[in-house]
Each structure stands twice: as structure tokens, then as C-alpha cells.
Amino acid sequence: MTRAVRARASRPARASIVAVAALCALALAASGAAGSASAAVGVQDATGVPLPSAAQVQASRATAATTAGRVGALEAQLAAAGVRADRLMQVVGQAVEAYDGARVSLDTARSTAAAARAAAADARAQAAESRRALGRFAAAAYRSGGDLSSLSMVLIAQGPRDLIARAAALQSIGDSRARTVESMRAAQTYASLMDRRAAKAVVTEQRAATQVAAAKSHAESRLAFQQQQVAAIASQRETLVRALATARHTTVALERARQAGLEAARVAAVRRVAERAAAAAAAKAEADRVAAAAKAAEDARAAQLARDKAAQDKATADKAAQDKAAQDKAAQDKAAQDRAAADKAAAGKAGSDKPSADPTPSPTPSQTASRSPSPTPTPSASTPPPAPAPGPVPPAAGADAAIAYARAQIGKPYEWGADGPSTFDCSGLTMRAWQQAGVSLAHYTVSQYSETTRVAITDMRPGDLVFFSSSPDIRTIYHVGLYIGGGMMIEAPYTGENVRISSIWRSSLFAAGRP
């Protein structure tokens, strides 16, 4: 093939190569454009549905995190609203009980003032009677001649004996007059003292009345503020619940139910904490009791050992003394025998020098000394076993009557400062309940705490009183209920509620008392 022919044959081949290169370039350009498009709208799955891009996923995660944070904040606000409502209720309860306490103080001041006024009136009457008696005495003395009576006595006397009798009578009259004057002065002094006491009692009564008025005004303002805040909290809770429903894409009803469940869980958690605290206190009390019993038993054993040792030491000392006495007696007997033998030898020698009848030999004293038997030590008594643990304490007398009365009041409205028969506050209900059993309690929680005997929460019996406080200080006790068993009590709770049966397990559970 010639060069011209080869040149013509290679032209179509180069054209084909150029065409393929152009097609490849177009394909690459198309693929780049497709890649850019896929980055913008996402990749499709096998069914042709577009998938989210990395940016969309990241944005969705950010939105979810924001929503979760918002939900958490809303729930925290709901929980804080519940705590704030509880605190407001405690503040109102303290104000109401302060009013009840002021009324108790006023009743006491009124009784004291009435008694002081009566005593002052009696003292003034006695002083007036003493003044009248002195007046009668003065009038009688004036009619009898006054100071001339002593002279007339001398002039009309019928002799020395009559004179002595008249002088004694005059002396008696003078003594009577002195006693009358002294009695009047004492009566006036006592009346003045009683008047001052009555005046002080009246001032105390007026001060107590002022305190009652102030306590009533404070309680009214606290109650009004609490009701205003409760309404605001209820509105806030509703707004928060609706916001939660929107954030979670649920219904408001579902969120309300969920919040009710959370509130029930919160109450249950508080109850568990209170139960654990009560159980821990009971365990400590039991451990202290067992330790005290063990110490008492150990002390008893030590005392018994000391008594046994003292008895043993005494027995040993008695035996040593008896042995010493026996040895001394044996020595005395031996000395007597020696003296008798010496006397006999001397008598025998004298007889050999001078004949005489055979003397009758004196009997030889016994050398055996009797010994008193040593006393056997008294066996020590066995150590007494520790005292058994006290059995369960029965309910207080009259508890059935108190509980029956309280049950009959269930459903009646709460009214602060009221003690029946149609409305009650907490201490008014417990006061009236125990009044049915013949037990007198003041219409004041702090006084009822002082008027009852302390019992452990775990040792409570039906009829006991359950006290609630905002701090360990008894002056902050703001609520009381009547325990009926099973962790439940009858209570007059707060304004807007009725007398009801409730659980005692609250974070403010303070103490229990037995009337």
C-alpha cells in the first residue's frame, strides 16, 4: 500500500477517536451536573423516593435536640409549679394555725382577766367591810366618852379588884380597836394589789385581742395571695401542658394524663422517702433499745459477779478466822496441859520428901480442839435474762369514738378557724374528735403537739395524731390529721377542699402524738 493510500485510510480512524473523546467529555459533564443535582435534592432509593441529605439529617437532629430541651424545660416548670403550690399551702396553713394559737392565748387571757377582776371586787368588798367595822367602833367609842373612859373607870371603881377588872376590859377594847385598824389596812393593801393585777390582766387581754386581729388579717391576706397564685399556677400549668402537646405532637388530653401520672409518681417518691425515714428512725430506736437492754443485762451480770466475789471473800475470811481461833485454843490447851504436868511433877517431888496419901490424879484436859465447820458459800443466783421487748401498744382509750366522729365529718367543707359542726379546720377537727372521748385538746396544732405523748411513726395506732411541719422547729407545725391505720388519716386539708381520707406519707411528715 502506498503512503497516500495509508493516509486516506487513517483519516476515518482519527475521526472515530475524536468522536469517542467528545462523547466521553459529554458524559463526564453530564455526570458532574447530575452529581450537583443529587447533592441538592438527595439520592433516590430503589423505589425512586428521595432520601434526606446530610444537611437535612443534621438540621433534623438540631430540631429534635431543641424540642427535647424545650420539653425538659416545660416539664421542669410544671414540677416547679407543683412545688410552689405545695409551699403556698404550707404558708397558709402556718398563718391559719398562728391565728388559732392567738385565739387560744386570747381565751386564756380572758379567763385570767375575769378571775383577776373577780378577786379585785372581793378584795374591795372586804376593804369596805373593814372600813365600816372601824367606823362602828369609832362611833361606839365616841358615845362612851372617848378618852375620858380611863378617868371615869378610876372614879367609879368599887375598889382595887373592880379597878383591875375595868382596866382589863379597857385593854381588851383597845386591842380590838388596834386589830380592827390593822385589818382595814391589810384589806386596803390587798385590794390595791388585786386592782393592779386586774389592770395588768386587762392589758394582757387587750394585747391578745390585738394579736388575734393581726393574725386574722395576716391569715386572710395569705389565703387571698395563695388563691391568686393557685389560679395563676393552674393557668400556667394548662399553658405548659398545651406547649408540651405541641412539642411532642400529642393531644392536650394525653399530656394532662401524662402529667397526672408524673404527679402521682412524685407523690409516690415522696411517700417512699418518708417511709424509709420512718423505718430508719424505727430501726435506730430498736437498736438503741436492744443496746440498752444488753447494757442492762451486762451491768446485772457484773453486779452479780461482784456480789458472788464479795460472798466468797467473806467466806474465806470467816474460815481463816475460825482456823486462827482453833489454833489459839489448841495452844491454850497445850499450855494448860504443860502447867498441869509441871504442877504434878512438883507435887510428886514434895510427896517423896513427906509421906502422904496417894493423891488422886487430876484429869488430863483433852488436846483435841473442836473446830466449827466452815460455812459453805451460798451459790450465786443465775443471771436474770434480759427483759422481753414490750408488746404492741394498744390504741389510746377512746380512739374508736374519736375516729367515728371524724368519719362522720367526711365531705364537710374546710374553713379556717372553724371547729364544727358544719365546717372545720385541721386542729378544729381533731379537737372535736377527741372531745367525744372525753379528752380536752386546744384548737391549735402546736398546743396539741405539746398535749400528746410522742410515739414513733412506725408505732402509731388508730386515733393517734399526725403532725406536719415545714422545718424541725415545732413552731412551724402547720397541719394535723387523725390516724386511722394503714398509712391513712382523716384530715381537714385546706380552703377549697372537704374533710377527707388521705395518705400520711408526705415530705412534711413531722411526728405523731397519742392523746
Side-chain angles (χ1 to χ4, degrees):
M1 179 180 299
T2 63
R3 182 178 300 174
V5 174
R6 286 196 301 272
R8 285 195 299 270
S10 61
R11 288 193 189 103
R14 285 195 298 269
S16 298
I17 292 172
V18 172
V20 170
L23 288 174
C24 289
L26 289 174
L28 288 173
S31 65
S36 300
S38 64
V41 300
V43 181
Q44 295 181 350
D45 61 7
T47 60
V49 177
L51 296 177
S53 65
Q56 290 173 332
V57 170
Q58 185 64 28
S60 178
R61 288 176 177 172
T63 301
T66 302
T67 301
R70 185 173 175 228
V71 166
L74 292 171
E75 289 187 336
Q77 293 178 41
L78 280 169
V83 172
R84 190 163 68 254
D86 291 344
R87 178 58 184 162
L88 286 169
M89 185 182 68
Q90 291 182 7
V91 170
V92 171
Q94 289 172 348
V96 168
E97 286 306 310
Y99 168 69
D100 287 343
R103 289 199 307 164
V104 170
S105 299
L106 177 59
D107 291 342
T108 302
R110 282 174 175 168
S111 300
T112 302
R117 285 193 292 266
D122 290 342
R124 287 193 299 270
Q126 292 175 4
E129 178 59 29
S130 297
R131 284 193 297 271
R132 285 192 294 269
L134 184 61
R136 288 192 296 269
F137 191 92
Y142 176 78
R143 287 192 298 270
S144 65
D147 293 337
L148 296 177
S149 58
S150 58
L151 178 60
S152 63
M153 175 189 69
V154 175
L155 294 175
I156 65 175
Q158 301 298 321
R161 187 173 296 177
D162 186 25
L163 180 60
I164 292 173
R166 288 176 179 273
L170 187 61
Q171 179 65 33
S172 176
I173 292 172
D175 293 342
S176 177
R177 180 177 61 181
R179 286 194 298 270
T180 303
V181 172
E182 185 63 28
S183 175
M184 185 198 70
R185 289 174 178 171
Q188 287 178 336
T189 302
Y190 182 71
S192 299
L193 175 62
M194 290 298 100
D195 284 337
R196 289 194 297 271
R197 287 186 178 178
K200 289 182 179 179
V202 169
V203 171
T204 302
E205 179 184 6
Q206 293 172 348
R207 187 181 300 115
T210 302
Q211 290 174 348
V212 166
K216 181 179 181 181
S217 176
H218 180 68
E220 288 173 343
S221 64
R222 290 290 86 192
L223 179 61
F225 179 75
Q226 185 251 3
Q227 291 176 336
Q228 177 186 1
Q229 291 298 308
V230 165
I233 289 172
S235 175
Q236 180 189 18
R237 288 178 65 88
E238 181 66 17
T239 301
L240 292 172
V241 166
R242 291 181 179 277
L244 277 173
T246 301
R248 287 201 176 96
H249 304 290
T250 59
T251 64
V252 174
L254 183 61
E255 280 303 322
R256 284 179 185 150
R258 184 175 181 277
Q259 291 304 315
L262 290 175
E263 180 64 17
R266 184 179 72 86
V267 172
V270 169
R271 175 181 58 80
R272 287 192 296 270
V273 170
E275 286 175 343
R276 284 195 296 268
K284 184 179 183 304
E286 179 64 16
D288 292 344
R289 187 193 66 78
V290 171
K295 186 178 184 305
E298 183 62 28
D299 292 344
R301 284 193 293 270
Q304 185 62 46
L305 289 174
R307 288 193 295 271
D308 292 345
K309 186 176 185 307
Q312 185 177 3
D313 292 344
K314 185 177 182 302
T316 302
D318 290 344
K319 185 176 183 303
Q322 291 170 0
D323 291 343
K324 180 71 168 56
Q327 291 172 1
D328 293 343
K329 191 173 187 309
Q332 292 172 1
D333 291 345
K334 179 70 169 54
Q337 290 175 3
D338 292 343
R339 285 195 300 270
D343 292 344
K344 182 178 180 182
K349 183 178 181 182
S352 63
D353 295 337
K354 181 179 180 181
S356 62
D358 293 336
T360 302
S362 60
T364 303
S366 172
Q367 297 183 5
T368 305
S370 61
R371 295 184 180 180
S372 301
S374 60
T376 304
T378 304
S380 62
S382 60
T383 302
V393 181
D400 291 341
I403 293 174
Y405 179 86
R407 283 188 183 278
Q409 314 313 312
I410 292 177
K412 293 184 178 181
Y414 173 95
E415 181 182 0
W416 62 279
D419 56 9
S422 56
T423 57
F424 297 88
D425 67 6
C426 62
S427 55
L429 176 64
T430 52
M431 178 190 74
R432 291 301 182 197
W434 269 103
Q435 194 177 68
Q436 311 309 306
V439 177
S440 177
L441 297 173
H443 187 175
Y444 181 33
T445 52
V446 176
S447 294
Q448 291 183 5
Y449 176 87
S450 301
E451 292 165 348
T452 54
T453 303
R454 300 280 72 73
V455 293
I457 296 296
T458 52
D459 293 336
M460 285 193 303
R461 298 292 181 268
D464 291 345
L465 301 184
V466 190
F467 298 94
F468 301 84
S469 176
S470 59
S471 78
D473 189 345
I474 65 172
R475 292 174 297 181
T476 63
I477 295 175
Y478 67 91
H479 189 55
V480 62
L482 185 70
Y483 187 65
I484 59 175
M488 308 301 288
M489 66 178 174
I490 300 175
E491 65 167 350
Y494 49 84
T495 300
E497 292 291 336
N498 299 329
V499 177
R500 65 188 184 186
I501 295 177
S502 305
S503 171
I504 68 169
W505 302 114
R506 302 172 186 175
S507 59
S508 55
L509 179 61
F510 179 69
R514 183 161 297 154

Short mmCIF file of all heavy atoms in Angstrom, two decimals, residues 286 289 386-395 455-456 458-461 514:
data_model
loop_
_atom_site.label_atom_id
_atom_site.label_comp_id
_atom_site.label_asym_id
_atom_site.label_seq_id
_atom_site.Cartn_x
_atom_site.Cartn_y
_atom_site.Cartn_z
N GLU A 286 -35.05 0.80 117.75
CA GLU A 286 -34.95 -0.60 118.16
C GLU A 286 -33.52 -0.96 118.52
O GLU A 286 -33.27 -1.68 119.50
CB GLU A 286 -35.47 -1.49 117.03
CG GLU A 286 -35.40 -2.98 117.33
CD GLU A 286 -36.28 -3.39 118.50
OE1 GLU A 286 -37.17 -2.62 118.90
OE2 GLU A 286 -36.09 -4.51 119.03
N ARG A 289 -32.80 0.41 121.83
CA ARG A 289 -33.45 -0.38 122.88
C ARG A 289 -32.70 -1.67 123.14
O ARG A 289 -32.46 -2.06 124.30
CB ARG A 289 -34.89 -0.70 122.47
CG ARG A 289 -35.70 -1.37 123.57
CD ARG A 289 -36.98 -1.94 123.03
NE ARG A 289 -36.74 -3.04 122.10
CZ ARG A 289 -36.43 -4.27 122.49
NH1 ARG A 289 -36.32 -4.56 123.77
NH2 ARG A 289 -36.23 -5.22 121.60
N PRO A 386 -32.53 -10.93 130.03
CA PRO A 386 -32.96 -9.57 129.73
C PRO A 386 -34.48 -9.48 129.62
O PRO A 386 -35.15 -10.45 129.25
CB PRO A 386 -32.29 -9.27 128.38
CG PRO A 386 -31.99 -10.62 127.80
CD PRO A 386 -31.71 -11.51 128.97
N ALA A 387 -34.98 -8.32 129.97
CA ALA A 387 -36.43 -8.13 129.94
C ALA A 387 -36.94 -8.27 128.52
O ALA A 387 -36.29 -7.81 127.57
CB ALA A 387 -36.78 -6.74 130.48
N PRO A 388 -38.08 -8.92 128.32
CA PRO A 388 -38.60 -9.08 126.96
C PRO A 388 -38.99 -7.74 126.37
O PRO A 388 -39.29 -6.78 127.09
CB PRO A 388 -39.84 -9.98 127.19
CG PRO A 388 -40.25 -9.71 128.60
CD PRO A 388 -38.97 -9.47 129.35
N ALA A 389 -38.98 -7.67 125.05
CA ALA A 389 -39.34 -6.44 124.37
C ALA A 389 -40.82 -6.15 124.62
O ALA A 389 -41.64 -7.05 124.71
CB ALA A 389 -39.11 -6.60 122.85
N PRO A 390 -41.16 -4.87 124.81
CA PRO A 390 -42.56 -4.54 125.06
C PRO A 390 -43.44 -4.92 123.90
O PRO A 390 -43.05 -4.82 122.74
CB PRO A 390 -42.52 -3.02 125.27
CG PRO A 390 -41.27 -2.57 124.58
CD PRO A 390 -40.29 -3.71 124.73
N GLY A 391 -44.63 -5.37 124.23
CA GLY A 391 -45.57 -5.77 123.20
C GLY A 391 -46.17 -4.57 122.49
O GLY A 391 -45.88 -3.42 122.83
N PRO A 392 -47.00 -4.78 121.50
CA PRO A 392 -47.60 -3.66 120.77
C PRO A 392 -48.46 -2.82 121.69
O PRO A 392 -49.17 -3.33 122.55
CB PRO A 392 -48.43 -4.36 119.68
CG PRO A 392 -48.66 -5.74 120.20
CD PRO A 392 -47.45 -6.08 121.02
N VAL A 393 -48.35 -1.52 121.52
CA VAL A 393 -49.11 -0.61 122.35
C VAL A 393 -50.54 -0.53 121.82
O VAL A 393 -50.75 -0.30 120.63
CB VAL A 393 -48.47 0.79 122.34
CG1 VAL A 393 -49.25 1.74 123.22
CG2 VAL A 393 -47.03 0.70 122.79
N PRO A 394 -51.55 -0.74 122.66
CA PRO A 394 -52.93 -0.69 122.17
C PRO A 394 -53.33 0.73 121.82
O PRO A 394 -52.68 1.69 122.26
CB PRO A 394 -53.74 -1.22 123.36
CG PRO A 394 -52.91 -0.88 124.55
CD PRO A 394 -51.48 -1.02 124.09
N PRO A 395 -54.38 0.90 121.03
CA PRO A 395 -54.83 2.26 120.72
C PRO A 395 -55.18 3.01 121.99
O PRO A 395 -55.53 2.43 123.01
CB PRO A 395 -56.07 2.02 119.84
CG PRO A 395 -55.91 0.63 119.31
CD PRO A 395 -55.19 -0.13 120.38
N VAL A 455 -44.96 9.28 120.00
CA VAL A 455 -44.82 7.88 119.59
C VAL A 455 -44.11 7.86 118.24
O VAL A 455 -44.21 8.80 117.45
CB VAL A 455 -46.20 7.18 119.47
CG1 VAL A 455 -46.86 7.06 120.83
CG2 VAL A 455 -47.12 7.92 118.50
N ALA A 456 -43.38 6.77 117.99
CA ALA A 456 -42.68 6.63 116.70
C ALA A 456 -43.72 6.46 115.59
O ALA A 456 -44.80 5.91 115.79
CB ALA A 456 -41.74 5.44 116.74
N THR A 458 -43.66 4.47 113.18
CA THR A 458 -43.93 3.05 112.93
C THR A 458 -44.73 2.40 114.05
O THR A 458 -45.18 1.27 113.89
CB THR A 458 -42.60 2.30 112.76
OG1 THR A 458 -41.74 2.59 113.88
CG2 THR A 458 -41.90 2.73 111.48
N ASP A 459 -44.88 3.07 115.20
CA ASP A 459 -45.64 2.51 116.32
C ASP A 459 -47.02 3.15 116.47
O ASP A 459 -47.69 2.96 117.48
CB ASP A 459 -44.86 2.71 117.63
CG ASP A 459 -43.59 1.89 117.66
OD1 ASP A 459 -43.53 0.87 116.95
OD2 ASP A 459 -42.65 2.26 118.40
N MET A 460 -47.44 3.90 115.46
CA MET A 460 -48.73 4.58 115.57
C MET A 460 -49.88 3.58 115.63
O MET A 460 -49.82 2.49 115.07
CB MET A 460 -48.94 5.52 114.39
CG MET A 460 -48.12 6.78 114.46
SD MET A 460 -48.67 8.02 113.26
CE MET A 460 -48.53 7.11 111.74
N ARG A 461 -50.93 3.99 116.32
CA ARG A 461 -52.17 3.22 116.42
C ARG A 461 -53.32 4.12 116.00
O ARG A 461 -53.23 5.35 116.09
CB ARG A 461 -52.39 2.73 117.86
CG ARG A 461 -51.30 1.78 118.35
CD ARG A 461 -51.35 0.45 117.61
NE ARG A 461 -50.33 -0.47 118.10
CZ ARG A 461 -49.13 -0.59 117.59
NH1 ARG A 461 -48.78 0.17 116.56
NH2 ARG A 461 -48.26 -1.46 118.08
N ARG A 514 -49.91 10.71 120.88
CA ARG A 514 -51.04 9.94 121.40
C ARG A 514 -51.73 10.73 122.51
O ARG A 514 -51.12 11.06 123.52
CB ARG A 514 -50.56 8.59 121.94
CG ARG A 514 -51.68 7.68 122.44
CD ARG A 514 -51.18 6.25 122.49
NE ARG A 514 -50.84 5.79 121.16
CZ ARG A 514 -49.95 4.83 120.91
NH1 ARG A 514 -49.31 4.25 121.90
NH2 ARG A 514 -49.70 4.46 119.67
#
